[in-house]
């Protein structure tokens, strides 16, 4: 069991690229993980990690070991999890990787009742916009929109099946600059823009009577979708420009009059997100409990489906 613990520590440090990040994921201290890796290196008689002040990367030997033990440790965890089926209540850790919008708009309605029903499950949620390999990065499952789902994954509808993008501005901005009546008129307005993971600026798409219009407006502020989204909303409320974001995200600001909807007939609807996870013969007990909980919360017609069957 000591060997298993030390191998798990090594795999976590190598995957996270450092001891501090691995400690956060593992719920322990960086020094304890360092001791585990040193014990493993001493037993094997070979250095497994290159350590610098800025990064930690596997040596050639460490990379070979990591390649072999990652699926093996997964099988060990799956085997140990079988015992969980004999408990009165499911227990263990469940790691999810989700986009910021899901963390903000989808999970708040699901997580509290789930945790109340399964108090012995520890749910760990990581919100980010980059597309990750949930298996390679140690997550049990993820949430993504249909166009971004990975192949060969089981996908279960989660949250509303239709979401809309909404355009809005503050009353002060509209009094000063006027209200646009067509998406192309946004080119004459100040707009708050956003981008994904330092990529190109995200275009704004609108649709009415099956006619779709794509616009790339200009504006005084560009934010990365995710951690700085609240800054974009605050700037729009302060009158800096027109914002285009999920309707559910902006709804509280509509309700209290801080933002005013514009171009409503043109708001674009998209399909809702999916919970996705690898196809396995035996799902980890915490994940199976979460999948069943999500399914029960969806309409009867919502069923799991494989991405490669679409």
């Amino acid at each position: 069991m000591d060997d298993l613990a030390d191998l798990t520590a090594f795999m976590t440090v190598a995957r996270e690229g450092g001891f501090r990040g691995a400690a956060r994921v593992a719920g322990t201290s960086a020094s304890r993980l360092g001791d585990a890796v040193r014990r493993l290196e001493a037993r094997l008689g070979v250095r497994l990690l290159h350590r610098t002040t800025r990064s930690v990367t596997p040596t050639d030997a460490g990379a070979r070991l990591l390649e072999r033990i990652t699926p093996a440790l997964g099988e060990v965890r799956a085997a140990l999890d079988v015992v969980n089926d004999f408990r009165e209540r499911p227990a263990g850790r469940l790691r999810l990787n989700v986009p910021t919008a899901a963390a903000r708009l989808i999970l708040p309605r699901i997580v509290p009742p789930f945790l109340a029903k399964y108090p012995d499950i520890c749910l760990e949620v990581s919100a980010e916009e980059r597309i990750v390999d949930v298996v390679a990065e140690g997550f049990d499952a993820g949430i993504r929109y249909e166009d971004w789902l990975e192949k060969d994954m089981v996908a279960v509808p989660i949250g509303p099946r239709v979401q809309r993008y909404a355009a809005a501005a503050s009353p002060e901005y509209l009094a000063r600059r006027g209200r646009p009546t067509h998406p192309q008129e946004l080119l004459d307005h100040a707009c708050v823009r956003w981008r994904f993971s330092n990529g190109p600026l995200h275009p704004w798409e609108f649709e009415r009577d099956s006619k779709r219009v794509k616009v790339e407006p200009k504006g005084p502020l560009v934010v990365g979708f995710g951690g700085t989204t609240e800054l974009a909303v605050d700037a729009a409320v302060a009158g800096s420009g027109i914002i285009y974001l999920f309707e559910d995200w902006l709804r509280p600001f509509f309700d209290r009059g801080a933002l005013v909807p514009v171009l409503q007939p043109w708001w674009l609807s998209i399909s809702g997100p999916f919970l996705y996870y690898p196809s396995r013969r035996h799902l980890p007990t915490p994940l199976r409990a979460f999948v069943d909980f999500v399914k029960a919360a969806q309409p009867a017609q919502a069923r799991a489906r494989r991405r490669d069957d679409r």
Side-chain angles (χ1 to χ4, degrees):
M1 292 302 293
D2 288 341
D3 285 341
L4 182 61
D6 291 349
L7 284 168
T8 301
F10 159 70
M11 184 180 71
T12 305
V13 172
R15 188 178 62 215
E16 296 299 321
F19 288 93
R20 291 184 179 178
R24 286 193 296 270
V25 169
T28 185
S29 67
S31 61
R32 186 168 295 180
L33 289 176
D35 291 341
V37 172
R38 281 189 289 271
R39 282 196 304 269
L40 182 61
E41 289 177 326
R43 284 199 298 274
L44 296 177
V46 63
R47 193 174 185 85
L48 299 174
L49 295 173
H50 292 299
R51 302 164 175 84
T52 71
T53 56
R54 294 188 176 183
S55 66
V56 175
T57 58
T59 63
D60 289 343
R64 291 290 297 275
L65 178 62
L66 186 65
E67 181 182 355
R68 297 296 296 271
I69 67 170
T70 298
L73 289 179
E75 287 298 318
V76 170
R77 284 195 296 270
L80 292 174
D81 188 68
V82 171
V83 180
N84 216 348
D85 293 338
F86 294 89
R87 293 172 55 93
E88 291 184 5
R89 297 189 306 192
R93 187 178 67 164
L94 173 61
R95 297 189 71 214
L96 301 180
N97 182 276
V98 308
T100 303
R104 172 68 182 268
L105 304 177
I106 307 300
L107 291 182
R109 299 183 180 92
I110 296 173
V111 167
F114 173 76
L115 295 179
K117 184 175 182 179
Y118 300 106
D120 294 331
I121 291 178
C122 176
L123 178 61
E124 181 179 330
V125 180
S126 176
E128 54 187 321
E129 305 315 310
R130 68 187 180 97
I131 304 301
V132 305
D133 183 332
V134 291
V135 176
E137 299 203 22
F139 294 98
D140 297 294
I143 295 177
R144 287 289 179 262
Y145 287 85
E146 190 164 12
D147 290 344
W148 295 347
L149 286 175
E150 299 178 24
K151 293 183 178 180
D152 304 321
M153 291 281 177
V154 178
V156 177
I158 185 171
R161 299 324 310 139
V162 177
Q163 291 182 284
R164 288 201 303 175
Y165 283 104
S170 70
E172 182 272 334
Y173 176 87
L174 296 177
R176 187 175 76 248
R177 299 289 300 271
R179 180 191 294 264
T181 59
H182 188 279
Q184 291 293 349
E185 295 178 13
L186 292 171
L187 297 176
D188 298 322
H189 282 265
C191 295
V192 180
R193 304 290 305 282
W194 48 275
R195 70 170 85 235
F196 283 119
S197 303
N198 296 321
L201 289 172
H202 197 278
W204 293 8
E205 293 189 64
F206 299 86
E207 188 173 43
R208 184 178 186 180
D209 299 329
S210 299
K211 179 182 179 182
R212 185 165 293 199
V213 176
K214 183 182 292 187
V215 180
E216 297 197 17
K218 307 298 181 182
L221 177 64
V222 176
V223 301
F225 193 80
T228 54
T229 306
E230 293 292 352
L231 171 62
V233 176
D234 290 343
V237 170
S240 298
I242 297 175
I243 191 170
Y244 194 54
L245 194 60
F246 281 119
E247 178 184 6
D248 290 343
W249 200 311
L250 299 179
R251 177 58 55 189
F253 300 91
F254 295 159
D255 292 342
R256 61 175 180 261
L259 290 174
V260 177
V262 297
L263 298 172
Q264 279 182 284
W266 288 92
W267 288 0
L268 179 68
S269 296
I270 63 171
S271 62
F274 291 83
L275 172 72
Y276 73 100
Y277 53 91
S279 176
R280 297 172 180 167
R281 184 173 302 175
H282 179 83
L283 286 182
T285 301
L287 176 57
R288 185 170 66 249
F290 189 71
V291 170
D292 291 343
F293 188 87
V294 168
K295 286 182 179 179
Q298 293 297 321
Q301 68 268 22
R303 293 290 184 267
R305 51 178 175 165
R306 290 183 185 276
R307 172 64 172 163
D308 55 344
D309 288 337
R310 293 174 194 160

